Amino acid sequence: MPLTRDSLLTLEAYAKARKQMKAEIIRHRQLRSVQLGEHMTLQFEDEHTIRYQIQEMLRIEKIFEEQGIQNEIDTYSPLIPDGRNWKATLLLEFPDVEQRRRELTRLIGVEDKVYIEVPGHPRIYAIADEDLPRENSEKTSAVHFLRFEFSPSVIAAMRAGADTVVGCEHPHYDMRHVIPPATRQALLADFAAI
């Protein structure tokens, strides 16, 4: 179901529900997040995470006019999976400022090296940053937006219980991790019935 202005809470209603919604979204995000090594996290988005993001932006910016609300919906809705894909926010996390600067320089192009792998099928590489480029010739960004497109046969294999791996094959960040079963089950809900 696409997000609409009418499907969002008013600022007043959100203020009342925010504490409970925040606790729920933290649990929901944890279930939909995969740590890939020490410095990379993929947070797989869905309608719930994006709805929360929009509500937070409306609250922070005190947006209550129809056009402003629609602008936020239009900005964030492309991050909701469409039934054939997964969409994720990729976070590169380095607490030390100097280390972050150095590593973001070494990791140029990392967003194009992230993949999903299901046994018996070719790797599915991320389509990164369709909204705008997030790197330059000197460094990559600490945040990227990724989309993974799946064929019906890959979706069927995952539904049948195939181990699903998320990985990165960048020369300076070569990692792979089997997606835990509970997370895989949560992500399978992003696919439309076939």
Side-chain angles (χ1 to χ4, degrees), residues 104-109 133-141:
L104 292 180
T105 298
R106 286 173 23 103
L107 292 173
I108 289 175
R134 296 186 177 273
E135 70 176 25
N136 57 41
S137 61
E138 296 176 12
K139 69 176 183 68
T140 192
S141 174

Side-chain angles (χ1 to χ4, degrees), residues 47-63:
E47 187 270 338
H48 300 294
T49 63
I50 298 305
R51 175 185 300 277
Y52 179 78
Q53 180 66 35
I54 292 171
Q55 292 282 183
E56 279 293 292
M57 292 306 297
L58 296 176
R59 182 187 75 83
I60 291 165
E61 300 291 331
K62 296 180 177 41
I63 298 170

Side-chain angles (χ1 to χ4, degrees), residues 168-183:
C168 179
E169 61 180 26
H170 191 279
H172 300 295
Y173 205 88
D174 191 3
M175 299 278 174
R176 50 187 287 119
H177 182 74
V178 175
I179 297 175
T183 298

Side-chain angles (χ1 to χ4, degrees), residues 15 21 40 48 56 64 74 76 91 114 118 121 127 178 194:
M21 288 177 71
M40 183 182 288
H48 300 294
E56 279 293 292
F64 58 89
D74 293 344
Y76 289 101
L91 305 169
V114 178
V118 175
H121 298 274
I127 301 164
V178 175
I194 296 175

Side-chain angles (χ1 to χ4, degrees), residues 41-107:
T41 302
L42 279 88
Q43 293 182 340
F44 289 91
E45 306 294 353
D46 69 356
E47 187 270 338
H48 300 294
T49 63
I50 298 305
R51 175 185 300 277
Y52 179 78
Q53 180 66 35
I54 292 171
Q55 292 282 183
E56 279 293 292
M57 292 306 297
L58 296 176
R59 182 187 75 83
I60 291 165
E61 300 291 331
K62 296 180 177 41
I63 298 170
F64 58 89
E65 293 176 351
E66 190 169 332
Q67 187 56 52
I69 295 169
Q70 190 60 51
N71 288 345
E72 295 300 315
I73 291 170
D74 293 344
T75 297
Y76 289 101
S77 287
L79 297 175
I80 300 172
D82 68 10
R84 298 179 315 271
N85 54 33
W86 288 343
K87 297 187 180 180
T89 302
L90 169 67
L91 305 169
L92 296 171
E93 302 166 301
F94 299 95
D96 177 73
V97 174
E98 268 310 302
Q99 181 189 22
R100 182 180 321 120
R101 184 194 58 73
R102 186 174 57 253
E103 292 303 317
L104 292 180
T105 298
R106 286 173 23 103
L107 292 173

